[in-house]
Amino acid sequence: GPERPRVTVALTFDHDGISSSVEHDLGPFDRSRGEFGVRVGVPRILDVLARHNVPATFFVPGHTAVTFPQSVAAIVGAGHELGCHGWAHEDVARLDEAAERGILARSREAIRAAAGGVAPVGYRAPYWSLAERTLALVEEAGFVYDSSLAWDDYYLARVRHGDVHTAERSVLGESGRLVEVPISHQLDDWPHFEPIRGGNGAAAPSAVEEVWLAELRYAHARAPGGVVTYTMHPECIGRGSRIAMLERLIVAARELPGVAFERLDTTVARWVAVHGG
Ligand code: ZN
């Protein structure tokens, strides 16, 4: 059967480009920060990944795919996975169901086209914001996995549908087919490094490196078969001080026996093979 790493490291990049700035009708400065991710961040990321032979996953809004096709083609050409991330980075919890269905279908088609006809199997909600119906729609649309929930740190599980929550009690629903790859703000670059739009400031890369590496070392010691999923944004991690930190993290991870870097589609396919389709 497929070999099983002791711990898998998933480097994931949300290639938001200028989509959220456009969606929020922000001006040239905010768009320029997103454009930094396209012009500078992604090339630096691809360089580091290539030099260390690390495959990765990029969640790409449809807006980025059609606005910056060369950037996305470079990612695909380097052998990385594309996942869906909305069209214009919409907060789907604010949309009605018909609008959300439309965006899901249109963005899936744009990412399929950008990947040379390979349909994406992964979805990540912009802002990790979900309507109650969202993950059922994602499953119904044919995705294999989602990566927007924080209910675990290292282990994959099936998404539940049909929870009913009231102040009196919550009744939990049944698991569906969709596989969840859990995420965390702690392992997200944005809250540590960005001073605006949901971030707290400008942490020292060494401080973030300490937390991120400690999570990996803990998983390596205590969570065999686990997956450590880092969420990064090209306009954030692409700054010199931070991309250097990412490279140190890759080098340190490689020193731990049995650690493998994988695209999430690879990791999820192995998990499904073990746990049943
Ligand atoms: Zn995003």
Side-chain angles (χ1 to χ4, degrees):
E3 70 176 90
R4 301 181 62 185
R6 179 171 179 83
V7 170
T8 301
V9 175
L11 301 183
T12 70
F13 301 91
D14 295 357
H15 191 3
D16 297 337
I18 61 174
S19 60
S20 61
S21 295
V22 171
E23 216 254 337
H24 288 275
D25 205 17
L26 301 177
F29 174 75
D30 284 277
R31 288 197 305 273
S32 76
R33 295 178 72 250
E35 202 169 331
F36 180 89
V38 179
R39 296 164 64 100
V40 181
V42 167
R44 282 186 184 153
I45 291 164
L46 293 180
D47 172 64
V48 168
L49 297 179
R51 284 190 288 104
H52 292 275
N53 195 25
V54 170
T57 298
F58 289 73
F59 292 98
V60 182
H63 186 281
T64 298
V66 299
T67 305
F68 302 107
Q70 290 172 333
S71 177
V72 178
I75 291 165
V76 173
H80 304 297
E81 174 190 5
L82 299 187
C84 268
H85 196 49
W87 188 268
H89 212 270
E90 302 86 0
D91 179 349
V92 296
R94 298 178 179 206
L95 302 177
D96 66 24
E97 181 172 335
E100 186 176 9
R101 281 181 185 278
I103 286 166
L104 201 53
R106 204 156 65 94
S107 60
R108 189 162 193 265
E109 179 54 29
I111 299 308
R112 190 191 67 75
V118 180
V121 299
Y123 175 82
R124 173 173 285 162
Y127 313 105
W128 291 329
S129 176
L130 303 165
E132 296 293 344
R133 65 183 175 253
T134 296
L135 294 181
L137 297 187
V138 168
E139 180 171 315
E140 187 186 312
F143 290 93
V144 178
Y145 75 88
D146 168 71
S147 184
S148 313
L149 293 177
W151 62 14
D152 208 304
D153 45 11
Y154 304 125
Y155 289 115
L156 309 190
R158 305 269 187 197
V159 168
R160 279 195 320 271
H161 302 300
D163 280 14
V164 177
H165 299 285
T166 67
E168 182 61 25
R169 67 170 293 191
S170 291
V171 179
L172 305 185
E174 300 288 324
S175 296
R177 294 189 313 278
L178 192 67
V179 177
E180 180 61 30
V181 177
I183 47 74
S184 159
H185 284 104
Q186 197 179 19
L187 299 182
D188 180 349
D189 59 356
W190 198 273
H192 294 291
F193 289 131
E194 292 299 317
I196 61 170
R197 309 271 311 277
N200 293 325
S206 59
V208 179
E209 180 181 2
E210 180 183 343
V211 173
W212 285 14
L213 197 50
E215 290 279 324
L216 174 58
R217 290 191 194 287
Y218 186 89
H220 188 260
R222 304 283 183 171
V227 183
V228 183
T229 302
Y230 298 98
T231 299
M232 294 164 278
H233 300 77
E235 67 269 46
C236 179
I237 202 72
R239 305 290 309 188
S241 59
R242 300 167 186 164
I243 199 79
M245 181 276 277
L246 176 59
E247 187 160 9
R248 293 195 299 274
L249 182 80
I250 290 170
V251 170
R254 278 267 161 76
E255 289 171 359
L256 296 171
V259 169
F261 290 90
E262 290 180 340
R263 295 164 39 143
L264 278 177
D265 56 353
T266 304
T267 306
V268 170
R270 188 178 51 248
W271 188 91
V272 168
V274 171
H275 292 82

